[in-house]
Amino acid sequence: MRRSIGGEVTIRLHGIDAPESTQSYGRAATQAARRYIGGEDVRVSVEEIGRYGRAVARIEARGGDLGALLIERGLAWHYEQYAPNETEYARLQKQARSAGRGLWSQASPVPPWEWRDRTSGPGETSAEDRDCSDFDTQPEAQRFFKRHQPGDPHNLDGDGDGEACESLPGG
């Protein structure tokens, strides 16, 4: 996202997790967000600065919340683990699921946090390239670490104690 004072900043939307670009509805989510913002001025309300220096924020454009729009259209999940008190997001997700909108039209949509946890396939980041920055939580990194035993081919266990990426949330 470009700033009015110049330069760009990467923002992770608070309380949602959209499908990865190689997942069903991943590109649709990106396109919907771009169309909604569409060169408009937006209001960014930073909730926190994430572990890699990314702003975790709400984005308001055209009088509405971008995260809520994506959830309502079935293009993102309410990320309850990181936003348990977002009752509006939970309500919108329940409605989208009941209506079979977007990703909820699939029999068993795979949440992006599970998708990222799986061994990489064609078009995704190669499993050989994984490091702690590829995971959102320590348990997610730990599951990946255990699947790639013996040894630590991805160097996820810096201190050799059998626990991967201990600095991540949930560690």
Side-chain angles (χ1 to χ4, degrees):
M1 180 166 287
R2 289 192 199 290
R3 299 183 306 171
S4 60
I5 59 171
E8 291 190 6
V9 63
T10 300
I11 296 174
R12 180 173 174 86
L13 287 175
H14 169 77
I16 76 160
D17 201 357
E20 296 293 325
S21 60
T22 53
Q23 275 187 276
S24 295
Y25 292 92
R27 291 188 183 168
T30 299
Q31 289 170 349
R34 286 183 178 152
R35 277 195 308 272
Y36 187 67
I37 292 173
E40 298 284 322
D41 286 342
V42 299
R43 177 181 303 266
V44 177
S45 302
V46 177
E47 298 286 326
E48 65 180 301
I49 300 299
R51 65 183 178 273
Y52 302 111
R54 293 181 297 189
V56 179
R58 297 173 189 276
I59 295 179
E60 185 182 313
R62 302 178 188 198
D65 178 302
L66 178 59
L69 172 97
L70 293 172
I71 293 170
E72 180 179 41
R73 292 185 179 175
L75 297 174
W77 275 260
H78 167 215
Y79 209 171
E80 292 179 67
Q81 178 178 352
Y82 293 101
N85 298 322
E86 290 295 336
T87 55
E88 179 66 4
Y89 285 5
R91 185 186 69 75
L92 291 170
Q93 179 171 298
K94 187 175 182 181
Q95 286 180 349
R97 188 176 199 159
S98 294
R101 285 194 292 270
L103 59 90
W104 300 112
S105 66
Q106 302 170 97
S108 299
V110 178
W113 55 89
E114 288 180 16
W115 180 271
R116 290 187 296 266
D117 194 31
R118 295 177 176 179
T119 303
S120 301
E124 294 180 52
T125 304
S126 166
E128 280 69 35
D129 295 339
R130 302 299 283 271
D131 63 29
C132 291
S133 68
D134 293 316
F135 303 98
D136 287 326
T137 65
Q138 191 278 330
E140 179 185 3
Q142 186 68 23
R143 287 189 298 273
F144 181 87
F145 173 73
K146 285 184 176 180
R147 280 200 315 273
H148 292 87
Q149 294 297 309
D152 184 14
H154 305 287
N155 298 313
L156 299 178
D157 181 14
D159 59 7
D161 68 351
E163 296 292 319
C165 306
E166 293 171 89
S167 63
L168 293 178

